[in-house]
Amino acid sequence: MFKIRLLLLLVLCNLFYAQKNNTENIAKSVLKNYSYQELEGKFYEISPDDTNGRKNIAKSYLEKAKSDHDETQIAEAYIMLHFDESLPNALKYLDSVQMITRQSKEIYYPARTFLLRGNLYFKFDNLQAALNNYVLGLKYAKEKGYKRQIAMANISIAYLKNYIGKHAETVKTLRYYLYNADYLNEDEHNLLKINLADAYIDGNKLDSAFVLIQEGLEASKKNKNLYSYYQNLGLLGYYNYSLKKYNLAIENLQQCKKYFFTANYKSKRNQNYTLLNLGRSYAGLNERAKAIENFAKIDSMVLKTNYVFPELREVYTYLIDYYKETNDREKQLYYVERFLKVDQVLDSRFRYISRELPRRYDTPNLLQEKEAIIRELKYRKIFFYIALTALFIIISLLIRFYLKYKNSERKYRKIAQDLIQAVNENESEKKPEIKMEAVAVEVPKKTETGVDKIPKTVSEDVVQTILKGLSVFESKEQFLNKGITLGTLAKMIKTNSKYLSEVINTHKGKNFTAYLNDLRIDYAIGRLAKDKKFRSYKIPFIAEELGYNNEQAFTLAFKKKTGTLLSVYLKEIEKAVNSIDPI
């Protein structure tokens, strides 16, 4: 099982095995001419095994920063320098960074210092101190609202959860950041995939792990990244071991063993877990001698590096049982003593992390989630009342509009029924005068003596001639002709427009346009009520028959004249006809 130091790599933001630059040959005089950005770029491009090259660049960076009296850049130089130092010296550099940046306004301080210190403790296997610093880093990152640092802290803490067996919680966190953190770069996403695949295997989600491993192998081949390739190949070996495909697992892991033990950059984590899964696979094939060989080598490495991991219990248990069966008391006693020492360390570490994670991380997170839920419920309640009020207003308006519509409908129907009744009552007359509620006809104004006020400019003879002409115009239904204007009508009755307009205004009580519309609508009222065939025509055709240019002009004129809608009038006619002649 490959446990990757994800947060350390995330902070470095580079692939550990990018093409190696031999910076040892770069003269210090040349480095002095580089900008801070150029020096930083070169530093993070170098693989971690080239410690001398990294130190040269970091020292040049520090000299430049001190020469410029730039405290921000001095802090950056100390960060570069701490990567390749022993734990005590590295901590001194980070303490200096914390002192220099204590008044910094940058969003990534002070969280950055705590996260770096957490990575450092993690590197040197002090998981208790790593957890404490990650929690503090998370706290300050949240205060500044810096998403990237929040992600780094949460991912590191998730790894510690995986260490104590909380695989499902680890998967949840890593999967969230893999698919929702677009602020992480491609290399960081690849490392997330490796860690997530590892957690999937630990949690027995083998199919999900296999998909990520295949993606990792393809990506590392494409990018020619050997380190990443063998990380994924090691995971494939762990995957095959979990499926009890021991021969395939051994084939994968033997390649990894050759690489991890000969590469310039030695990762004790990768070395130990390669041997662990090799030993497990040989044990699965009952090749006990080869299993013992790999497990014994792990013990010798633990003695040299003090690197302790949970699966060591499994290693020592196997060694003890083997030498007990072979009756080798000395080796049995030796591995019992080794087991007790390692178990004490693991137990102390496990108990601390198991106790502190819920207290310092899970519980504060749950309290924060609780507050967020309470706020959300409060806002939901406010939104509910606002929505309810808005809905009440909308319903009230709809009811009002509905009642208004119903009142209007009743009014329209009543007017339509009165029109139909008036037509029926005057059916025997040639030109019925229909009384309509909505029409307010102007009558000629009268003087104090009671005599109609007739324009002085028009003689009585002319008036009579015009009135006779209008009578003929009405009786012959010439008002139905399309394009009738005041001028064309004046020509028809052999007068001028001015005289005609004055006579219509005086004797008809309306202007020419109203006079023409009234004649047409009166005609339509009667004919629609009496002529079933005419009523069956489409409205545009009826409008054209009445002399209108379009349907809209006709329907508007009808409503203005009658006070009801044409559609309502037609419906009421059909109702009246059906009531008289039932089917």
Side-chain angles (χ1 to χ4, degrees):
M1 174 173 43
F2 284 83
K3 307 296 183 182
I4 313 302
R5 296 189 175 209
L6 180 60
L7 252 294
L8 178 60
L9 294 173
L10 288 176
V11 174
L12 292 175
C13 301
N14 70 92
L15 297 173
F16 278 150
Y17 267 68
Q19 184 176 359
K20 183 178 178 182
N21 293 329
N22 187 9
T23 55
E24 290 177 303
N25 297 326
I26 300 176
K28 288 186 176 181
S29 58
V30 176
L31 290 174
K32 287 180 180 178
N33 296 325
Y34 287 164
S35 65
Y36 291 118
Q37 188 175 4
E38 289 171 332
L39 288 169
E40 184 178 10
K42 286 189 172 295
F43 179 86
Y44 289 114
E45 284 174 5
I46 302 173
S47 58
D49 58 298
D50 188 2
T51 55
N52 289 331
R54 285 158 62 96
K55 283 183 178 179
N56 285 338
I57 294 173
K59 287 177 180 178
S60 295
Y61 197 107
L62 180 60
E63 288 176 12
K64 182 178 177 64
K66 285 184 175 180
S67 175
D68 295 340
H69 303 288
D70 189 333
E71 289 194 343
T72 301
Q73 300 303 337
I74 291 172
E76 289 297 325
Y78 287 154
I79 289 171
M80 291 180 187
L81 286 166
H82 99 280
F83 286 121
D84 300 305
E85 291 290 340
S86 62
L87 179 62
N89 290 338
L91 286 173
K92 288 178 183 177
Y93 279 124
L94 292 181
D95 289 342
S96 298
V97 172
Q98 190 166 14
M99 286 292 294
I100 292 170
T101 60
R102 65 186 183 279
Q103 302 296 331
S104 176
K105 303 297 182 184
E106 296 290 346
I107 191 172
Y108 42 81
Y109 284 116
R112 186 184 185 192
T113 311
F114 288 105
L115 293 177
L116 287 169
R117 195 179 280 124
N119 292 336
L120 184 65
Y121 280 120
F122 190 89
K123 176 183 175 181
F124 286 95
D125 250 8
N126 189 338
L127 301 189
Q128 294 95 322
L131 173 62
N132 294 337
N133 280 278
Y134 288 144
V135 169
L136 286 172
L138 179 61
K139 174 192 171 193
Y140 290 115
K142 284 183 175 180
E143 287 179 3
K144 294 287 186 75
Y146 192 14
K147 292 193 297 183
R148 184 179 177 81
Q149 287 182 331
I150 292 171
M152 291 177 178
N154 280 326
I155 291 167
S156 294
I157 292 170
Y159 173 73
L160 292 175
K161 284 189 173 187
N162 204 48
Y163 179 86
I164 61 173
K166 295 186 176 183
H167 308 307
E169 293 182 31
T170 303
V171 165
K172 183 179 177 181
T173 300
L174 297 186
R175 186 168 55 197
Y176 172 80
Y177 284 111
L178 179 60
Y179 298 112
N180 295 283
D182 54 3
Y183 41 83
L184 299 179
N185 62 39
E186 183 181 355
D187 295 339
E188 292 162 347
H189 273 102
N190 289 336
L191 288 168
L192 265 176
K193 285 183 179 181
I194 290 172
N195 281 269
L196 181 56
D198 186 37
Y200 273 140
I201 298 173
D202 288 342
N204 203 32
K205 303 286 186 182
L206 299 180
D207 290 342
S208 299
F210 184 72
V211 172
L212 293 177
I213 292 168
Q214 290 300 313
E215 288 178 4
L217 288 169
E218 290 173 11
S220 57
K221 282 181 182 177
K222 182 179 177 181
N223 298 327
K224 297 180 180 179
N225 188 331
L226 279 178
Y227 186 77
S228 177
Y229 174 80
Y230 282 103
Q231 282 180 309
N232 282 283
L233 188 64
L235 281 174
L236 184 61
Y238 181 32
Y239 164 82
N240 284 320
Y241 160 74
S242 300
L243 289 175
K244 298 184 179 180
K245 296 179 179 179
Y246 301 124
N247 286 318
L248 279 176
I250 291 168
E251 184 182 336
N252 301 143
L253 294 164
Q254 285 290 7
Q255 294 180 56
C256 292
K257 181 179 178 181
K258 183 178 179 181
Y259 176 79
F260 286 127
F261 281 88
T262 58
N264 290 326
Y265 179 69
K266 301 294 192 298
S267 167
K268 56 188 177 182
R269 186 175 293 270
N270 289 329
Q271 290 176 341
N272 276 280
Y273 279 103
T274 298
L275 294 175
L276 171 68
N277 288 315
L278 267 174
R280 285 168 160 177
S281 299
Y282 282 124
L285 293 173
N286 206 29
E287 295 184 24
R288 303 188 72 188
K290 290 183 178 180
I292 290 296
E293 180 187 346
N294 284 282
F295 289 155
K297 191 168 184 179
I298 290 175
D299 174 62
S300 65
M301 290 174 63
V302 171
L303 282 169
K304 292 177 183 177
T305 62
N306 289 320
Y307 178 70
V308 177
F309 52 97
E311 291 82 0
L312 281 176
R313 289 191 175 99
E314 179 185 341
V315 169
Y316 286 115
T317 299
Y318 191 91
L319 288 166
I320 291 167
D321 290 343
Y322 176 80
Y323 287 112
K324 182 178 180 181
E325 291 174 18
T326 58
N327 206 29
D328 190 332
R329 298 301 182 191
E330 289 185 9
K331 286 191 175 180
Q332 180 186 353
L333 177 61
Y334 168 79
Y335 285 117
V336 166
E337 290 175 347
R338 293 287 300 128
F339 175 80
L340 292 173
K341 288 181 181 178
V342 168
D343 187 63
Q344 186 178 7
V345 173
L346 289 172
D347 188 56
S348 173
R349 184 183 292 176
F350 184 90
R351 280 188 287 106
Y352 182 86
I353 295 175
S354 298
R355 182 183 71 247
E356 293 301 310
L357 259 176
R359 186 177 72 83
R360 301 192 62 191
Y361 179 74
D362 292 335
T363 302
N365 277 355
L366 286 173
L367 290 173
Q368 191 175 9
E369 286 181 18
K370 178 185 174 183
E371 290 174 5
I373 292 169
I374 292 171
R375 283 197 302 272
E376 183 181 349
L377 291 174
K378 181 180 177 182
Y379 292 143
R380 280 188 183 180
K381 193 174 182 180
I382 293 170
F383 177 78
F384 172 76
Y385 285 127
I386 292 172
L388 193 64
T389 303
L391 184 62
F392 175 76
I393 293 170
I394 291 169
I395 292 173
S396 300
L397 289 172
L398 288 173
I399 292 172
R400 182 179 176 185
F401 291 146
Y402 177 76
L403 293 175
K404 187 176 179 181
Y405 166 75
K406 283 295 181 182
N407 288 334
S408 297
E409 188 180 37
R410 282 194 293 270
K411 177 183 174 184
Y412 291 153
R413 289 174 58 194
K414 178 66 170 61
I415 293 171
Q417 290 165 2
D418 290 344
L419 287 173
I420 295 167
Q421 184 179 356
V423 170
N424 292 333
E425 288 175 355
N426 295 284
E427 191 174 346
S428 60
E429 298 181 13
K430 185 178 180 181
K431 294 289 291 180
E433 289 186 8
I434 302 167
K435 186 178 179 182
M436 295 165 286
E437 275 185 41
V439 180
V441 179
E442 272 188 42
V443 295
K445 295 182 181 179
K446 297 191 176 184
T447 62
E448 293 177 359
T449 59
V451 181
D452 290 348
K453 188 176 181 181
I454 301 171
K456 303 290 185 180
T457 57
V458 185
S459 68
E460 185 61 31
D461 292 338
V462 173
V463 170
Q464 291 304 318
T465 301
I466 291 172
L467 288 174
K468 286 178 183 179
L470 290 176
S471 180
V472 172
F473 175 72
E474 294 173 12
S475 63
K476 290 185 177 182
E477 297 177 351
Q478 291 173 330
F479 52 79
L480 299 178
N481 296 337
K482 210 167 185 181
I484 293 291
T485 65
L486 183 64
T488 58
L489 181 56
K491 287 180 181 179
M492 285 173 61
I493 59 178
K494 296 183 171 115
T495 185
N496 62 53
S497 299
K498 182 180 178 183
Y499 289 171
L500 178 60
S501 178
E502 288 184 359
V503 169
I504 291 173
N505 275 280
T506 303
H507 289 270
K508 302 296 181 179
K510 61 195 79 172
N511 61 30
F512 171 75
T513 303
Y515 168 68
L516 185 64
N517 273 324
D518 287 351
L519 288 173
R520 289 173 172 173
I521 299 304
D522 286 342
Y523 175 84
I525 290 168
R527 188 170 176 188
L528 286 169
K530 295 181 289 183
D531 190 341
K532 183 177 181 180
K533 184 178 180 180
F534 184 67
R535 197 165 57 241
S536 68
Y537 295 152
K538 291 185 178 179
I539 302 301
F541 180 81
I542 296 173
E544 189 174 358
E545 282 286 298
L546 297 172
Y548 288 100
N549 292 323
N550 54 63
E551 176 186 352
Q552 187 180 16
F554 168 47
T555 54
L556 288 174
F558 188 92
K559 187 175 185 300
K560 184 176 181 182
K561 166 70 175 173
T562 64
T564 189
L565 301 175
L566 176 63
S567 58
V568 174
Y569 181 63
L570 292 172
K571 285 180 184 177
E572 291 302 316
I573 291 172
E574 293 300 324
K575 285 181 184 178
V577 170
N578 291 334
S579 65
I580 296 170
D581 300 315
I583 298 173

